[in-house]
Every structure is written in C-alpha cells, then in structure tokens.
Amino acid sequence: MQNNDVLIIASGGGHTGFARAIAEYLSLSSNSYKVDFVIPENDKYSEEVLKPFSRQFYYVKKAREPNQGNIALITNLPHVLAQSLKIKKYKVVIATGSNHSLFPALAQRVKGSKLFVIESQDRIVTRGKTVSILSNFAENVFLHWQEQKGLYPKKGMVVGPIVEKPKYTPKDDGYVLVTTGTMGFKRLFDIVVSLDLGKEVVIQTGRVPPEQYAKRGVRAFSFSTELEKYISEASLVITHQGKTAMESVVMYKKPTIVVYNKDWRYAATKEDSKRYAEILGATFLDDPSQWDSVEELTEAIKKVKPPKKYEIGTPNLVKRILEELP
C-alpha cells in the first residue's frame, strides 16, 4: 500500500472510534501502515486518539452538530464544501457516518475514489440519513449485525461489530461507569449521583461540566484517552445508544445498561435503540424523563445480566478494503 491509498473520514465521537479501529487493524495487517484522516475542526480528542495511526490530518467543519437544525447546515455549507474540495484524491475512502462525512465523501467520489460507508451500530430498523445518501455511491455499506442486512439488501456487507483490538484484560474494580459520549447526558447523570448504588460511580460527562458531580464525591471527567481502561475495569457500564455499549459488550463482556437519550433528534429512533440493546444482550431503559421514578435505574441494576458474546468484525472490514489495493 502507498501513503495516498486510504483516507478515513473520522467524524467525532463514536465515528472516530470506528476510524481508529480500522486504522489499527490496517496497521496490524500491513507493516505499521498509517492512513490519512479527515476530522472535524477543533476536535482535539479525535486528533489525539488517531495520532498514533495517522500520517496527516485534514480538517473539515461539522455542517451541523447533533443538537442543531438545518439553519446551521445552510450557514456552514460553503465553508464545508471549500474544505472538502481541497482534499487530494485517494484510492479508497471510508466514511464513518454523521453529516460531517457527507461532503468530504462526495467530493472524493466525484474525483474518482472508491467509497465505503459504515452504518451506525444502533440503526436496526431505520437508515442513517448520511449513510443512506452515500450508499448510492458506495461499493459497500459495512454493517455490524445480521439484523441490519434488510436496510441495505444489495450493498450491505455484514462484517461484525467494528471495534478496536482490546488493550486490557477485563477485571472488576467494583465501580459503575456512566459514559454517554461527546454531548453528555445531564438528566441521567443527575439521577445517578442522587442514588445510593452501593458502588463507587465514575462518570465521563462529555460537554456537561464535570465539576458539579466531582464536588459530590463522584469521580468525574469530561474526556479521557483512558476511557477503554475504565470500561475494562468496571463492574457495570451504563451508557446511551451509542458505540460505547458495543465496546463494553464485544470487547470486554461487561453487563451493560442502555439508556435512551431522546435529545439525539437526528440519531436512531427508540425502536432502533431497543433492538440494539436486545442484540447486545444489554438492558434497555427509556429516556429518564419517561421514568415513573428514579428507582427504575436501581431495579435495572439489580436485574442486569451478562451480555451476548460476539467476535470482533473489524478484520473482515479490513480484508475487504485490502482487496481494492495493490
């Protein structure tokens, strides 16, 4: 493989997790090969976690954040297009999803690149909008679960769950880990710290300020490159409908509770999220605003069970990519 062969569009949060997993397995398969990445402007976390596998970065502004509407998209579009068109052509481009992937991927396809797309792990009954659009121009849409095959009957390729190679040996250090991605989940955090769970609580808060929880005796932080280690040592992982639930189950076999976050207006539906939890063997809870009482969480913790077992699918994805390269 040559240095200009592969471009991965890593769109932040769980999408960056997909990008890192692919880059890691590409490196393992081809003599420490490094790829080029497109990441969101000012996404220092993505830059930090991808740096070990990166040759260079391109920066493209997010056209719309998860909590923004179409006005932001229209306002940001000229800048996003200009940045996307400046990226040189690559033989193979992998788009990890989210609206951030859309314009860089289309720009590369216009230039003649072969495009591959990853559908989100929690899209079981509905397609992601960006992935649905890009699927019309892609060679394959990579899927995590056989249950997703109906979304893309022609181009869908079930490779298995796309996660990294585990770095740690699982153990139980006796704490509950609450982690809900980049945006955070204040409603859930507030309930967790109000309860006596009988165990230490560790919260990764994302964009929610962690100080309000730290001063109540909870170990809390916004972001950490050691999040995987926290997962590997937890007794139980409480998360939202994002990629962390899959990492918790597939990589470290942790009992997991998925709490639906209704604020993700452009993400998967509640039905998608329920089906996702079922596939994982995780416990599903509705958004906290819909609970009859906070005891729903304590009851779920008492009844939690070991999850289902899966083999990591990232090597199957990498094998397909290598078929396109000399």
Side-chain angles (χ1 to χ4, degrees):
M1 291 190 291
Q2 303 299 314
N3 284 334
N4 63 341
D5 281 348
V6 179
L7 178 70
I8 303 178
I9 307 172
S11 297
H15 307 287
T16 289
F18 293 146
R20 181 180 163 97
I22 296 165
E24 178 186 52
Y25 276 96
L26 276 171
S27 174
L28 292 171
S29 69
S30 185
N31 193 28
S32 300
Y33 177 77
K34 292 190 175 184
V35 303
D36 295 351
F37 294 97
V38 181
I39 64 173
E41 279 186 348
N42 303 314
D43 188 344
K44 299 303 181 185
Y45 178 78
S46 288
E47 187 167 354
E48 185 173 358
V49 299
L50 295 174
K51 192 177 296 182
F53 305 103
S54 170
R55 193 177 69 94
Q56 71 169 316
F57 289 105
Y58 299 97
Y59 304 92
V60 174
K61 185 178 179 64
K62 278 193 175 184
R64 183 182 63 196
E65 294 284 357
N67 59 348
Q68 293 179 324
N70 289 329
I71 294 176
L73 176 66
I74 295 168
T75 302
N76 293 327
L77 188 56
H79 184 54
V80 171
L81 286 173
Q83 289 175 315
S84 299
L85 291 168
K86 286 181 181 178
I87 300 170
K88 69 180 183 181
K89 176 191 171 184
Y90 287 78
K91 290 183 179 178
V92 171
V93 176
I94 306 168
T96 60
S98 130
N99 71 81
H100 174 262
S101 288
L102 180 61
F103 299 105
L106 290 176
Q108 286 291 305
R109 188 68 189 88
V110 167
K111 292 179 180 182
S113 303
K114 289 194 173 181
L115 176 64
F116 294 84
V117 193
I118 300 172
E119 183 56 279
S120 292
Q121 72 289 328
D122 56 346
R123 290 286 186 174
I124 315 301
V125 295
T126 65
R127 290 182 173 193
K129 289 182 180 179
T130 294
V131 179
S132 184
I133 293 169
L134 292 179
S135 69
N136 296 301
F137 312 99
E139 305 295 316
N140 288 114
V141 179
F142 293 127
L143 306 172
H144 310 267
W145 324 109
Q146 191 63 42
E147 290 86 344
Q148 293 179 301
K149 182 64 177 175
L151 297 176
Y152 304 93
K154 292 184 178 180
K155 293 188 177 181
M157 179 178 179
V158 180
V159 295
I162 302 166
V163 296
E164 296 180 42
K165 184 181 178 67
K167 296 175 181 58
Y168 306 100
T169 301
K171 62 178 182 176
D172 186 345
D173 271 3
Y175 60 81
V176 175
L177 176 65
V178 184
T179 172
T180 60
T182 303
M183 304 303 291
F185 197 170
K186 191 174 188 302
R187 286 190 302 285
L188 176 60
F189 301 156
D190 290 347
I191 290 172
V192 168
V193 298
S194 74
L195 297 172
D196 180 6
L197 300 183
K199 291 179 179 284
E200 181 187 6
V201 174
V202 178
I203 304 179
Q204 181 261 315
T205 64
R207 295 183 184 176
V208 178
E211 294 80 11
Q212 59 191 300
Y213 306 114
K215 70 182 182 183
R216 297 179 65 172
V218 172
R219 204 181 339 164
F221 52 88
S222 295
F223 299 98
S224 172
T225 55
E226 291 297 310
L227 183 61
E228 184 181 334
K229 189 172 190 295
Y230 281 106
I231 294 171
S232 73
E233 297 176 354
S235 300
L236 165 70
V237 176
I238 301 174
T239 186
H240 63 334
Q241 64 265 35
K243 185 171 180 286
T244 299
M246 179 168 67
E247 293 170 339
S248 172
V249 167
V250 176
M251 296 169 66
Y252 291 107
K253 316 280 189 300
K254 295 292 180 176
T256 302
I257 296 175
V258 175
V259 183
Y260 180 66
N261 186 344
K262 67 181 179 62
D263 291 346
W264 283 30
R265 292 183 293 162
Y266 300 101
T269 66
K270 187 191 297 187
E271 183 59 29
D272 281 304
S273 302
K274 282 183 181 178
R275 293 281 300 279
Y276 174 46
E278 289 171 5
I279 289 167
L280 294 174
T283 300
F284 176 82
L285 291 177
D286 202 346
D287 188 278
S289 64
Q290 303 302 307
W291 298 353
D292 292 332
S293 77
V294 297
E295 296 305 317
E296 290 201 26
L297 181 59
T298 54
E299 289 302 311
I301 291 172
K302 289 176 184 177
K303 297 176 182 178
V304 75
K305 297 178 180 179
K308 295 180 182 178
K309 295 181 180 180
Y310 288 96
E311 295 295 321
I312 293 174
T314 318
N316 299 322
L317 183 157
V318 167
K319 180 180 178 182
R320 176 68 184 94
I321 294 301
L322 293 176
E323 291 174 358
E324 300 292 339
L325 301 173

